[in-house]
Amino acid sequence: MTEQSVSVEAAGSVKEFDATREAVVQAHNLTKRFDDLVAVQDLSFEIEPGVIFGLIGPSGSGKTTTVRMLTGIFPPTEGDVTVLGYHPRDFPRSIREKIGYMPQHFFLYPQLTVWENMNFMASLYGMNLFRRKILGELLEFVELNGHERKKVGDLSGGMKRRLSLAATLVQNPTLIFLDEPTAGIDPVLRRKFWSHFQGLKEQGKTMVVTTQYVGEVAYCDLVGVMDQGRMIMLDTPAGIRHRTYGGEMIDIVTVDPLDYSQVAELERQADVKQRLLLEGNHVRVLVEEASESMPELLRWLQDRGIEVQTMEEYLPPFDDVFVDLIQNVDVIHQKENNV
Amino acid sequence: MSSIFRSLIRISSFFRKEVVEVIRQPRLVLTLILGPFLILLLFGVGYRNEPRVVEAVFVVEPNSNLIDSIEEYASSLGEQLVYSGTLPDAQTAIDRLWRGEVDLVVIAPTRPEDSIRNDQPAIFQLYHNEIDPAQEAYLRSLGQIYIDEVNRRVISQLALQAQTDSATVREDIASARENAAQMRQALEVGNVALARERQRDLAQNLSSANDNVGPKAILLDAIERETGTNNPAESVAGLLGALIALQESPAVIDNPVENQPSYDAEIAELRETEEELADIEEMLAQFDAISPDTMVRPFRSELTSIAPTSTADPMNFYAPAVIALLLQHMAVTFGALSLVRERLSGTMELFRVSPIASGEALIGKYLSYLLFGLVMGAVLFLLMYYLLRVPLLGTWWSFGLVVLALLFTSLGLGFIISLLAETESQAVQLSMISLLVAVFFSGLFLDLRYLIQPVQVVSWLTPATYGTHMLQNVMLRGYGVEVLYMTGLLILGGAFFMVGWILLQRQMRLG
């Protein structure tokens, strides 16, 4: 796989880790094999501080293995990785204290109350005993205040996930790994979670979030799309959409349907790369930059007396983007290489 | 904040978490404490510290001389043997044994006198249907006791007969003494004719006595030889010798001559004879006072224990071993489940990323389970002490130290199991195996001296072995902490701790 490196700056974030904006995570040709099974192959990327890095891909695509290599749970079979300037296997305590990790599965103790679990996590990170205020704020942050005395075994699934998130944040980590934090929870709560993540980002935290929900890509600053252990694309959400289709799409709805010659002439327009759809009076074209091409196309239509009902950029849902990307990944890469 | 303080906080996280988790499960706590206590209580109430009663049927030919005596012997053997009647043929008796209607079939010898005459013991054939080696050994022992009893009774009959005969001997000796006196008096007045007459009577008396004293004197002589009586004059051998000498002594009775100037020598000799006969009579009286039973079974053992605790109540003996076994099992199970749960629930993943060190996690868990084990041990003991009256002759602190060391070592074993097991059920199975090992090899039911040396290694790798030994001595003998055993237990515990630590370190840092 071609090495990719994309940097995204987080707007308005407070940088705790490194004022010089050195990459928090640097992975180079990471590969992990379990006997004959190649779980992750040739992963290379960098994550700068203060961004939300999304790892997206179907189940078994290697997201969790990647996170485990980044956190030092698994050593890579090949390749090299540094996190906060250290190889994960050699993290000193001071670095471990800066890392928050929320595993994929619920990891807290069902016999303990919400408060006792939070206390356990705080002690695990060696926090001093004057921690009541911090823990209270965290529970408030995940909207679990008032449930402190409830036994965790009695909480709903959504509350457990929120508690997990709060427990992951007890030591005020700089870098947070969240492995499928929104798996198995309802859409409303998922949106709340991402709202929390945005809040954390605003506090200057760097986050690595894995998800199976393709739509959640939109919340990330940088996205790595994984399939069968490979990172098939690494870009911003908009960049992924753009690269998947080779440009941006514009939907044009005219009052009367275009005739054959009008359509053929439209396809020959300089900005138009490809006509994607023609259904009655609805035409969809692919252009390089929708914002730049739309005035040109509107002028062209008006010059020919074609009455336009609506013209707008079409943003295909990320679910579709993801499917198209997976299906056409080789073609896309070939085109990119040719360019 | 200093790193030591942070480390203590991290250790405390596990300590508090484990304690709270256990306390939150009151049924578990109740089961762990009350369960063992109720088991021991049931054992104490239900265990009969007396030999098993065996129901036996005897096979004797209908015309056998033994038929009456067998019933009599069997019925008088005590409560251990219940006489269930006699049958004429062996097959019927074996069928009853097979059906479980009786426990033992005793087939009496057909013609015992023929075997004995041919210098062969007559054999009582015993049949059983036991598969338990201990029960077979018990029946073998019971059979031996029965045969010994039969033999004793036969010899006792002989002794009784001898005693009856010896009454005649005593009469003969008394008559002999009387005739000797009369003979002496006749010689003193010169009445030789009367002296000769009494001399004949005396000879007759001595001959008769010599004939009759035989069997009994032989028995007594054998006893005296075994016991080593030192004074030959007072021995049965001496008595026999004197009697024979008297009978064979012709000096007095062969040559009393009429008109002899003096019979002083004969008279003096007769006085001696009278005295000897009086001695013999006295000895016979003493021997006759010995019952036939004592004569055929002259020795008996009496066992006295210097241990301060009575063995009459078996619960006393088993209670310390049960405490040791249960504390080991509790600690091993808690330890075994503890880390495997962390791994399966995914918490171990979190530990790998967090700043917690394997040693801190392990120490935190050790401390919590030690505390819980101590509380459980104390409650268990108090229940036994006050409700079952199990003694504590040693000191409380000795008891506590042994329990603490036992828990420490058992927890180490449990943590190793936890780190080797891949699933919870595997951890439970391995804990159960360690329990089985402790039941068989810790000395709970089987004294370690019955095991060969290489197998004893397994015993001494089992914490409960040390615990059982030391708790029994602390509780029942009043000993203090035995340094050798305590050192052994702590070395084992230290080794378990190190192995557990290394394994946990590998799992936490190497993935």
Side-chain angles (χ1 to χ4, degrees):
Chain A
M1 183 178 174
T2 317
E3 188 176 325
Q4 300 170 74
S5 180
V6 176
S7 299
V8 176
E9 290 191 9
S13 58
V14 179
K15 305 295 176 241
E16 285 186 9
F17 167 60
D18 190 0
T20 64
R21 308 189 57 72
E22 185 186 331
V24 174
V25 176
Q26 291 176 315
H28 183 69
N29 290 343
L30 274 188
T31 298
K32 180 68 187 177
R33 290 192 201 93
F34 296 103
D35 298 324
D36 293 336
L37 175 77
V38 181
V40 168
Q41 193 168 6
D42 270 344
L43 248 56
S44 297
F45 58 90
E46 286 186 359
I47 305 170
E48 290 199 351
V51 302
I52 299 179
F53 177 77
L55 271 174
I56 189 166
S59 181
S61 59
K63 303 184 298 291
T64 298
T65 305
T66 304
V67 167
R68 285 176 175 173
M69 282 195 286
L70 299 183
T71 49
I73 294 169
F74 288 161
T77 312
E78 287 169 23
D80 191 32
V81 60
T82 56
V83 176
L84 296 174
Y86 288 87
H87 291 289
R89 309 293 284 182
D90 304 326
F91 281 153
R93 266 194 176 159
S94 57
I95 292 297
R96 290 181 187 279
E97 284 166 2
K98 287 181 178 171
I99 295 175
Y101 173 52
M102 179 174 163
Q104 191 169 350
H105 301 290
F106 183 67
F107 59 92
L108 294 170
Y109 300 101
Q111 294 292 339
L112 271 56
T113 64
V114 167
W115 189 259
E116 285 162 348
N117 267 296
M118 290 294 285
N119 241 326
F120 171 75
M121 289 298 292
S123 297
L124 196 67
Y125 281 88
M127 283 176 69
N128 69 41
L129 301 175
F130 305 100
R131 55 176 79 140
R132 176 168 283 276
K133 186 167 176 282
I134 296 170
L135 300 187
E137 283 170 0
L138 279 169
L139 288 178
E140 202 174 329
F141 176 63
V142 296
E143 299 169 35
L144 279 177
N145 46 330
H147 299 282
E148 290 86 349
R149 296 169 76 86
K150 269 191 185 166
K151 253 171 57 170
V152 165
D154 299 334
L155 296 182
S156 68
M159 290 168 98
K160 282 180 183 169
R161 296 305 284 171
R162 277 187 278 158
L163 178 62
S164 298
L165 178 62
T168 306
L169 303 175
V170 281
Q171 81 277 24
N172 191 24
T174 309
L175 175 59
I176 305 164
F177 292 93
L178 305 164
D179 193 4
E180 304 215 9
T182 55
I185 57 176
D186 64 77
V188 177
L189 190 60
R190 288 218 306 266
R191 186 161 294 182
K192 272 191 178 174
F193 257 70
W194 281 102
S195 165
H196 291 318
F197 300 159
Q198 288 296 332
L200 290 168
K201 183 190 155 188
E202 282 162 19
Q203 292 170 27
K205 317 284 185 200
T206 308
M207 274 171 286
V208 177
V209 186
T210 72
T211 179
Q212 286 186 49
Y213 298 111
V214 180
E216 292 179 350
V217 164
Y219 300 112
C220 301
D221 299 310
L222 182 64
V223 178
V225 181
M226 294 195 69
D227 185 41
Q228 296 178 9
R230 290 172 178 272
M231 190 173 281
I232 58 174
M233 196 167 276
L234 177 68
D235 213 319
T236 60
I240 284 178
R241 189 186 275 131
H242 190 284
R243 286 170 63 190
T244 300
Y245 296 106
E248 292 173 353
M249 286 176 254
I250 299 172
D251 271 358
I252 304 166
V253 180
T254 54
V255 176
D256 300 313
L258 300 181
D259 60 29
Y260 175 76
S261 60
Q262 286 172 327
V263 172
E265 201 178 344
L266 176 65
E267 286 173 353
R268 285 198 297 275
Q269 288 303 301
D271 284 357
V272 176
K273 288 182 158 184
Q274 193 182 350
R275 176 178 57 78
L276 298 172
L277 180 75
L278 177 62
E279 283 179 357
N281 57 347
H282 179 195
V283 182
R284 179 174 297 158
V285 292
L286 184 72
V287 297
E288 183 60 33
E289 288 285 339
S291 56
E292 287 177 11
S293 299
M294 275 203 293
E296 292 296 322
L297 285 174
L298 185 61
R299 197 174 307 118
W300 180 85
L301 288 163
Q302 285 170 345
D303 289 349
R304 277 147 192 79
I306 300 167
E307 204 175 337
V308 178
Q309 208 170 14
T310 59
M311 179 186 283
E312 59 188 1
E313 184 183 356
Y314 171 67
L315 294 173
F318 275 108
D319 287 325
D320 295 346
V321 176
F322 184 73
V323 171
D324 290 335
L325 174 60
I326 298 284
Q327 283 175 350
N328 305 307
V329 63
D330 292 335
V331 178
I332 293 165
H333 284 154
Q334 201 175 356
K335 277 184 186 172
E336 286 181 344
N337 287 337
N338 289 338
V339 170
Chain B
M1 193 163 46
S2 76
S3 61
I4 294 174
F5 190 59
R6 278 171 173 256
S7 196
L8 287 176
I9 289 176
R10 279 190 277 267
I11 289 171
S12 77
S13 67
F14 281 94
F15 176 77
R16 277 185 303 170
K17 189 266 287 184
E18 301 293 349
V19 169
V20 172
E21 270 199 320
V22 173
I23 291 172
R24 286 280 154 75
Q25 303 174 68
R27 278 188 200 165
L28 173 72
V29 177
L30 208 64
T31 311
L32 283 173
I33 293 175
L34 278 186
F37 170 73
L38 289 175
I39 290 169
L40 199 64
L41 178 68
L42 200 63
F43 174 74
V45 170
Y47 182 75
R48 291 178 304 170
N49 189 26
E50 54 196 37
R52 168 192 162 191
V53 174
V54 172
E55 202 168 326
V57 67
F58 292 77
V59 178
V60 193
E61 285 193 345
N63 54 356
S64 170
N65 293 332
L66 284 169
I67 197 156
D68 294 331
S69 48
I70 275 177
E71 181 175 355
E72 187 197 336
Y73 295 164
S75 305
S76 60
L77 266 180
E79 293 173 354
Q80 285 166 262
L81 193 76
V82 172
Y83 175 70
S84 209
T86 54
L87 288 170
D89 71 301
Q91 193 52 50
T92 311
I94 299 288
D95 287 346
R96 286 190 65 188
L97 180 66
W98 184 248
R99 289 195 298 271
E101 293 168 7
V102 291
D103 304 310
L104 192 65
V105 170
V106 183
I107 300 179
T110 316
R111 292 181 64 79
E113 61 276 14
D114 290 350
S115 300
I116 295 165
R117 277 194 198 112
N118 290 328
D119 192 24
Q120 293 292 322
I123 293 171
F124 278 79
Q125 198 75 44
L126 274 63
Y127 288 89
H128 68 84
N129 191 21
E130 297 296 336
I131 52 172
D132 178 353
Q135 290 303 318
E136 189 197 44
Y138 174 68
L139 289 180
R140 190 187 301 281
S141 161
L142 191 67
Q144 193 55 50
I145 291 169
Y146 174 74
I147 294 305
D148 287 349
E149 182 63 16
V150 171
N151 286 337
R152 185 189 68 77
R153 283 179 177 243
V154 169
I155 300 169
S156 185
Q157 282 301 317
L158 281 174
L160 185 64
Q161 187 58 49
Q163 206 160 33
T164 312
D165 293 346
S166 100
T168 317
V169 176
R170 280 177 66 192
E171 282 171 16
D172 287 341
I173 296 294
S175 301
R177 188 163 57 83
E178 183 61 28
N179 284 325
Q182 286 180 13
M183 184 180 169
R184 175 181 52 79
Q185 285 161 6
L187 284 178
E188 280 171 351
V189 295
N191 188 347
V192 176
L194 182 60
R196 279 187 177 146
E197 198 179 320
R198 291 293 170 262
Q199 182 187 9
R200 278 194 299 276
D201 293 343
L202 174 62
Q204 246 179 5
N205 295 146
L206 289 175
S207 173
S208 171
N210 206 19
D211 291 344
N212 289 329
V213 81
K216 180 157 189 166
I218 288 164
L219 273 175
L220 290 168
D221 190 42
I223 293 165
E224 288 188 343
R225 278 177 200 278
E226 286 300 315
T227 52
T229 300
N230 290 328
N231 186 353
E234 291 178 2
S235 72
V236 175
L239 181 147
L240 282 171
L243 208 55
I244 291 164
L246 281 174
Q247 192 190 355
E248 290 177 352
S249 168
V252 176
I253 53 174
D254 281 357
N255 299 310
V257 181
E258 286 194 44
N259 302 322
Q260 194 174 309
S262 168
Y263 296 103
D264 290 348
E266 286 82 358
I267 288 167
E269 204 165 341
L270 278 167
R271 280 190 198 282
E272 280 179 23
T273 301
E274 280 176 60
E275 284 170 11
E276 283 175 4
L277 285 169
D279 288 346
I280 290 170
E281 202 176 2
E282 191 185 343
M283 279 180 78
L284 278 174
Q286 284 174 2
F287 292 146
D288 280 349
I290 301 171
S291 71
D293 193 49
T294 307
M295 217 171 295
V296 297
R297 201 159 50 184
F299 296 106
R300 201 180 61 175
S301 65
E302 281 185 1
L303 189 67
T304 306
S305 170
I306 59 163
T309 312
S310 164
T311 55
D313 188 351
M315 198 156 57
N316 285 351
F317 174 72
Y318 287 113
V322 168
I323 291 175
L325 185 76
L326 290 170
L327 287 180
Q328 177 192 296
H329 184 56
M330 185 277 295
V332 167
T333 309
F334 268 96
L337 289 174
S338 169
L339 286 166
V340 83
R341 269 187 192 148
E342 306 277 19
R343 201 166 61 233
L344 293 175
S345 67
T347 325
M348 188 69 88
E349 252 187 61
L350 184 77
F351 298 161
R352 286 177 189 161
V353 182
S354 75
I356 185 95
S358 51
E360 292 167 344
L362 205 57
I363 290 171
K365 282 178 179 286
Y366 260 104
L367 289 177
S368 59
Y369 291 135
L370 280 178
L371 174 73
F372 181 70
L374 277 177
V375 171
M376 195 188 123
V379 173
L380 192 59
F381 175 74
L382 287 173
L383 286 171
M384 289 183 184
Y385 185 76
Y386 286 110
L387 297 182
L388 302 184
R389 300 287 172 199
V390 175
L392 174 63
L393 302 179
T395 58
W396 275 102
W397 66 266
S398 298
F399 177 85
L401 276 180
V402 173
V403 166
L404 192 65
L406 172 65
L407 287 169
F408 169 70
T409 310
S410 305
L411 278 171
L413 180 61
F415 287 135
I416 290 174
I417 288 174
S418 195
L419 290 160
L420 295 178
E422 288 179 1
T423 60
E424 268 191 348
S425 55
Q426 228 179 61
V428 171
Q429 279 170 358
L430 288 171
S431 304
M432 291 308 292
I433 287 173
S434 78
L435 175 68
L436 269 181
V437 169
V439 167
F440 279 102
F441 299 113
S442 72
L444 172 68
F445 288 118
L446 187 68
D447 195 300
L448 297 189
R449 285 166 290 197
Y450 287 108
L451 300 172
I452 59 169
Q453 290 279 337
V455 176
Q456 282 192 24
V457 173
V458 177
S459 297
W460 296 113
L461 286 174
T462 305
T465 307
Y466 299 88
T468 300
H469 181 89
M470 284 193 281
L471 285 182
Q472 280 175 344
N473 280 341
V474 168
M475 291 170 71
L476 307 180
R477 287 200 173 103
Y479 286 7
V481 173
E482 292 163 279
V483 176
L484 182 66
Y485 290 96
M486 181 55 95
T487 308
L489 184 59
L490 289 177
I491 287 174
L492 190 65
F496 285 161
F497 176 83
M498 290 307 294
V499 173
W501 190 8
I502 291 166
L503 287 175
L504 182 61
Q505 205 164 28
R506 286 172 63 86
Q507 289 197 5
M508 278 179 67
R509 291 293 175 245
L510 299 181

